[in-house]
Amino acid sequence: MNLLSKPELLEFRAEVRGFLSENLPAELSDRASCHAHLSREDIVAWHKILYRRGWSAPSWPKEFGGPGWSGAQRYIFEEECAAADAPVLSPFGITMVGPVIYTFGTPAQKQAFLPKIVSMDHVWCQGFSEPGSGSDLASLSTRAVSDGDDYVVNGTKIWTSEAHYSDWIFCLVRTDQGAKPQSGITFLLIDLRTPGISVRPIISIDGGHSLNQVFFEDVRVPKGNRIGEENRGWTYAKFLLSYERILTADAARSKRRLARLKEIASSFATGWLLTEAPCVAKRIAALEIEVMALESLTIDTLLKDERGEALAVEPSILKLRGSEVLQRILELTCDVLGPDALAYEHRVLPKGNAAFPTYAAGRVEEYLYRRAATIYGGSSEVQHNIIAKAIFG
Amino acid sequence: MFQELSEERRILSASIDSWLRANYPLPAARQHGPANWKQFAELGWLALAIPSSCSGLGGSAVDLALLAEAFGRYLVDEPYLATAVLCAGLIEACGSDEQRTTWLAEIAAGDRTWAFGLYEPGTQYRYGEPAVIASEAAGRTILSGTKSAVEGAAIADRIIILASDPKGTRGLFIVDRWGEGVRVDTVGSVDGRQISAVVLEGAPVLARLGAAADKISSIDDVLARALVFLCAQAVGAMQATYDQTVDYLQTRKQFSQRLSDFQVLRHRVVDMRVEIELCRSLVAAAARAVEANSNHLIAATSAKAMVGKAGRFVAQQAIQLHGGMGMTDELCVGHYLKRLMAIDATLGNADFHERRFVMLGQVAQ
């Protein structure tokens, strides 16, 4: 990448790489590379390692505890973390609610929440989707009724990743029943230890547990935990969603996935070397080109964002194609694994049995879990609608 | 699955379906045990493909396809393929008269289960040069080496192993799964069943299947039948997940409309239907080709290649169209995806069979 080859950026890359090689524990990167579902302990442990270096909120400005990096630096950091198999930072605090708080929050909210997001003393989760409101998010029906200094919240949120070990949840709730769906929504920050909240695990098709359903029964939330104005929550949510999408192209991680795929393809000791099999080599090449394009557009978009220019269709394009490319890489990985894609519980395998190669560990799990990539964070259909709206109005 | 079926086959198909519908619970509520295997024997399913001269019902690949389609629809977990298709087929094709009479009767009665060790670590789907060696030691034949991706080995009584004898002839050797020198390492498979590695360390051979002649072409014939079985299972699974998706889109509303009113979603369902209809027809043709023993290798390979890709496509679409619900273990759509993935990965995936298609000479040089 030419844009990333300025001397100061090369120096920065070397610094990040050096830090990772000295500070990322091997057992953490092993688990991160083989498991779709990490424990709270692992996620917090890695976050705190970065926190001590001042790097735990890569996208944040310095005044709120971020490193104040440029877009190019942010991408380089992502890329190096991905290449080292560092755990993915939990996005709900750093990427989602944090920027909402420092953009729209009160001084008291900034003071109360931002330091604990940066330090990961608070683990956050996101309460947007509901059983009846997925793609049609604005139809959500969890209600918050004003009662003195509090809101009283009733309803349920679903697909809440990490809720079972989170401390706080940010929620969209309905505060005005009569208004147009989008104009009756309010953005609340809710302490998950408040009485009346319960969490039900949802086991996903890969057999793992990240997803949950969260129930609210007469949950009292202080009005001081409301972001911005009542009934304007949709605006803040839209800000959050567009912010979220720049790096959800996941180009850096897909690059790592592709590298892993090539390692697998070249590791067959006998017979057909798969990278030499033209049909497989061609499929890998096609995906590599896609990842290059995603990487290029990601960097362009980060730079555009940094210059303060409005982002139009870029975030949606990155989310749309990024999730598809990710899924295609994982599909091809299963294809290349061939019969090795059958065994699933690699965690309990007898070590040293060549019939269960370690390179297969976690790959099928990742394929299954990432079928959600075109569903979460605004499904592909929603992204198509957003782009179409930008084109046709 | 077939355009025309005899009255007898229609009855067979309906009886299989009604038994599974009544007795075979959905994955979430499922318990497994030997009871089902005995039931399968009593229903005659284990004898379906065994010749009538050997206590069987003398069914063909077409009959097996009818059973398999229902197995796919109801997500049947039992390692039927290993015992009743692969090993029964190998015993029938390669065994001596005595071996056939004894062992096929045991299989038909549900008294013994079998598994077939074909593949080896690191060689993907190629089995033509087995590294497992049969050698003579102290007057007996023993096997050494490792077989991978063995279905049904965990619960098998006997395992058939493809190995090279001292003369380099590729033969089929039977070992006692619980005998000395045989270790079976078993893990869960992606579709909630079991998959094993069979590690042989001087394992004594109970018997050699048939005469000491090369068995590769017999294996290919038996595999053709097994591929049809897998393909028909995939068609059943695709149809079931398609049906559930159509139902879901007609029930669920977003933006005050039924999902089935959105053109983009309708078209996705249409694409699923197109794949299923093409697969159904190609698999039926493959079943007839195998039944008639005419161009059966190419027919089975093309069906497996098509079904491998289409199955993944259809199941992935089903999940996407179910949204978050499709990602949950509670619904069946995810289980169909996993079964279809496992079917693709068994006995050669789509990639492999496309290459095999080339090798079988169907693409002009």
Side-chain angles (χ1 to χ4, degrees), chain A residues 353-372:
Chain A
N353 187 332
F356 301 112
T358 48
Y359 55 68
R363 300 285 67 86
V364 180
E365 179 186 6
E366 189 180 21
Y367 161 81
L368 289 171
Y369 191 58
R370 294 299 161 191
R371 294 316 304 169

Side-chain angles (χ1 to χ4, degrees), chain A residues 40 62 77 130 147 259 275 283-284 326 330 351 375:
Chain A
R40 175 178 169 129
K62 274 197 167 133
F77 179 72
E130 296 181 6
D147 183 26
T275 41
R283 288 175 71 193
I284 293 177
L326 175 162
L330 301 177
K351 291 251 177 207
I375 298 170

Side-chain angles (χ1 to χ4, degrees), chain A residues 372-385:
Chain A
T374 47
I375 298 170
Y376 58 58
S379 69
S380 293
E381 289 78 6
V382 167
Q383 305 305 334
H384 275 99
N385 282 339

